Amino acid sequence: MTTVRLLVPNDTLLPRYLTALSSGWTPDADRDEELAQRLAQRVGADASAYLRSLWNPQGVGSKITLQDGREVSRLAHVRHWIVDDDYCGDINLRWQPGTSELPDYCDGHVGYAVVPWKRQRGFAASALRQLALLAPSFGLNWLDIAMSADNLASRRVAESAGAVLIDEYVAIEQGGVKAYKYRLACGGA
């Protein structure tokens, strides 16, 4: 069995990350060549700045304008790369410092994505369990994981990691799709 671990994004694995982008994969969307190219260009323009942008546990930076026009404070966030002997994907964590509660415009604390050639090996579930062990260091007692109801793979990941379904709702910010929210206790609880 391959050991999966979480690493802070770094220069050493950056070439493997760029290889994943060159396949058209991104942490945000499969088979989106344009998005992958823009992300690769951003990395190429200033790799150090890009890597620094992935780790912001204080949530510093300018406000963000939502689709509805509201300006909101930037959430604290960190991104880890999922690795075995190679780059496997990303898992990110976002939160409001000082609370496990999320603002109304953010459905979940966690996002994860595994490159297509490393899927169906339990890597995302393992990464999610590891992230739940790290989350208390950021002041979090639980992780909410939200996904569209038709995203069966993400639901299996959450369930395999030990998360429990806590809500079914309509995700207005995502175009009114039916969605599920799972909760995973942090710190091995």
Side-chain angles (χ1 to χ4, degrees):
M1 175 100 177
T2 304
T3 301
V4 177
R5 42 192 210 289
L6 302 182
L7 293 180
V8 174
N10 61 68
D11 288 330
T12 303
L13 278 176
L14 195 57
R16 303 305 302 161
Y17 176 71
L18 288 168
T19 297
L21 294 177
S22 72
S23 77
W25 175 89
T26 77
D28 301 313
D30 273 343
R31 295 175 296 283
D32 188 332
E33 298 286 336
E34 183 179 324
L35 180 59
Q37 287 175 352
R38 284 196 317 265
L39 192 50
Q41 288 170 350
R42 182 174 166 211
V43 173
D46 189 342
S48 294
Y50 176 74
L51 291 172
R52 284 191 308 274
S53 77
L54 302 178
W55 196 265
N56 186 356
Q58 292 80 32
V60 297
S62 58
K63 291 193 176 228
I64 296 171
T65 303
L66 302 177
Q67 289 179 340
D68 66 8
R70 288 186 289 164
E71 281 196 355
V72 298
S73 296
R74 186 175 299 275
L75 292 176
H77 63 273
V78 296
R79 184 175 299 262
H80 287 87
W81 283 348
I82 305 167
V83 300
D84 57 2
D85 56 344
D86 199 358
Y87 175 83
C88 300
D90 278 32
I91 189 164
N92 64 68
L93 176 64
R94 53 197 166 269
W95 72 97
Q96 291 186 109
T99 181
S100 294
E101 298 291 336
L102 287 167
D104 66 344
Y105 57 86
C106 183
D107 288 345
H109 292 99
V110 180
Y112 43 81
V114 174
V115 295
W117 53 94
K118 294 280 187 168
R119 291 184 184 157
Q120 297 184 339
R121 300 183 197 180
F123 291 0
S126 177
L128 188 52
R129 286 190 295 272
Q130 290 176 53
L131 189 65
L133 295 174
L134 295 173
S137 69
F138 300 111
L140 297 170
N141 298 316
W142 71 81
L143 299 177
D144 285 342
I145 308 124
M147 74 277 307
S148 65
D150 64 353
N151 188 341
L152 298 176
S154 192
R155 290 172 54 196
R156 281 193 297 267
V157 166
E159 292 167 357
S160 178
V164 295
L165 180 65
I166 61 167
D167 195 14
E168 295 181 34
Y169 62 102
V170 175
I172 304 300
E173 293 285 324
Q174 286 74 40
V177 300
K178 181 178 177 185
Y180 293 136
K181 185 179 294 186
Y182 284 80
R183 182 163 288 169
L184 181 61
C186 291

